[in-house]
Amino acid sequence: MIEVNKASVRMDDRKLFAGLSLSVGEGQMVCVTGGSGCGKTTLLRAVLGFVPLSEGHISIYGELLTPSSAVEFRKQMSYLPQELAFPVESVREMVALPFGLKANRNLLFSKDRLMEEWGRLGLDTGLYDKKVTEISGGQRQRIALSVCGLLRKPIFIADEPTSALDEHSAALVAGYIRDMASRGCAALLVSHDTAFAEACDRRITMGDTYHDRGL
């Protein structure tokens, strides 16, 4: 589904990464790790079509990712960023927000289905009536993930999906994303969490050289 071929990105005359190749197939969880500043988040943004490559190319479903094709490809993706900020006051508004986007207007929001997703992520149903400011960062992270699961997109991209979580909640998240992959979703993930990375099918370590461990 996703093919990154000899990709390089430079910003302000600084090389973030160069010569990076990876692939994520249907039903796979691929985790990208590496030190701060090596370009992990930039890689995700490049796959989303928000950051242009200096060299190399990215293909989705065998088609070249370009500024014009990126708009259509993003309709097939759900994205969980590390920094979560929502222009709403309540959790109920937060979970409904993606369903109001043009790309998702053919999808129906279901509170009952959402509550099923919450149960799998260890979230209390009472959070639905809370204000966003009343819930923790970890709860906000899992709620946002549950919406990604509800959208049922074929490609899932996440930046540090367990960063605000304890060990138990992180394990629930890893299992949840594994279930998404088992339904055919291709998951490209960035994480510093060693246990989470070990739960993935492949682990790509970014740096001066690249190490690809897994399938």
Side-chain angles (χ1 to χ4, degrees):
M1 282 187 171
I2 302 172
E3 293 281 346
V4 178
N5 185 28
K6 297 179 180 178
S8 301
V9 170
R10 289 182 175 273
M11 288 187 175
D12 301 323
D13 296 325
R14 183 171 71 91
K15 180 186 75 175
L16 287 181
F17 59 84
L20 173 62
S21 295
L22 63 84
S23 64
V24 189
E26 181 178 323
Q28 286 187 346
M29 291 172 64
V30 174
C31 185
V32 179
T33 64
S36 298
C38 69
K40 300 185 299 298
T41 296
T42 300
L43 169 65
L44 297 187
R45 291 181 56 77
V47 172
L48 288 161
F50 294 130
V51 174
L53 298 180
S54 306
E55 297 174 3
H57 65 267
I58 297 172
S59 298
I60 311 289
Y61 299 115
E63 259 188 75
L64 194 65
L65 179 69
T66 66
S68 56
S69 67
V71 177
E72 290 302 312
F73 286 137
R74 280 197 293 271
K75 294 178 182 179
Q76 305 299 313
M77 303 175 181
S78 56
Y79 174 48
L80 182 65
Q82 183 176 7
E83 300 296 330
L84 296 171
F86 301 96
V88 294
E89 290 188 2
S90 67
V91 171
R92 66 172 62 219
E93 290 174 311
M94 169 184 160
V95 297
L97 192 63
F99 292 87
L101 300 176
K102 184 177 179 180
N104 300 324
R105 284 179 185 166
N106 62 321
L107 303 176
L108 294 177
F109 172 75
S110 166
K111 182 183 175 182
D112 289 339
R113 282 184 55 215
L114 180 68
M115 293 301 105
E116 291 176 8
E117 305 299 306
W118 281 19
R120 294 162 58 200
L121 286 165
L123 291 164
D124 190 286
T125 58
L127 294 172
Y128 190 76
D129 296 313
K130 297 281 188 179
K131 291 184 178 180
V132 174
T133 54
E134 294 175 331
I135 64 176
S136 70
Q139 289 170 330
R140 190 157 54 245
Q141 200 169 37
R142 281 177 288 159
I143 289 171
L145 174 59
S146 73
V147 175
C148 291
L150 202 59
L151 290 170
R152 292 290 198 274
K153 300 285 186 174
I155 296 173
F156 174 58
I157 296 174
D159 194 353
E160 300 289 355
T162 62
S163 61
L165 304 179
D166 59 28
E167 185 176 346
H168 173 69
S169 296
L172 289 177
V173 164
Y176 186 87
I177 298 174
R178 172 58 65 194
D179 287 345
M180 292 172 68
S182 70
R183 296 193 297 267
C185 179
L188 177 59
L189 315 155
V190 159
S191 182
H192 283 101
D193 183 339
T194 302
F196 178 83
E198 291 291 341
C200 295
D201 299 306
R202 291 170 59 202
R203 179 176 178 178
I204 313 293
T205 303
M206 293 180 66
D208 294 332
T209 59
Y210 301 101
H211 304 281
D212 186 340
R213 190 181 72 195
L215 296 176

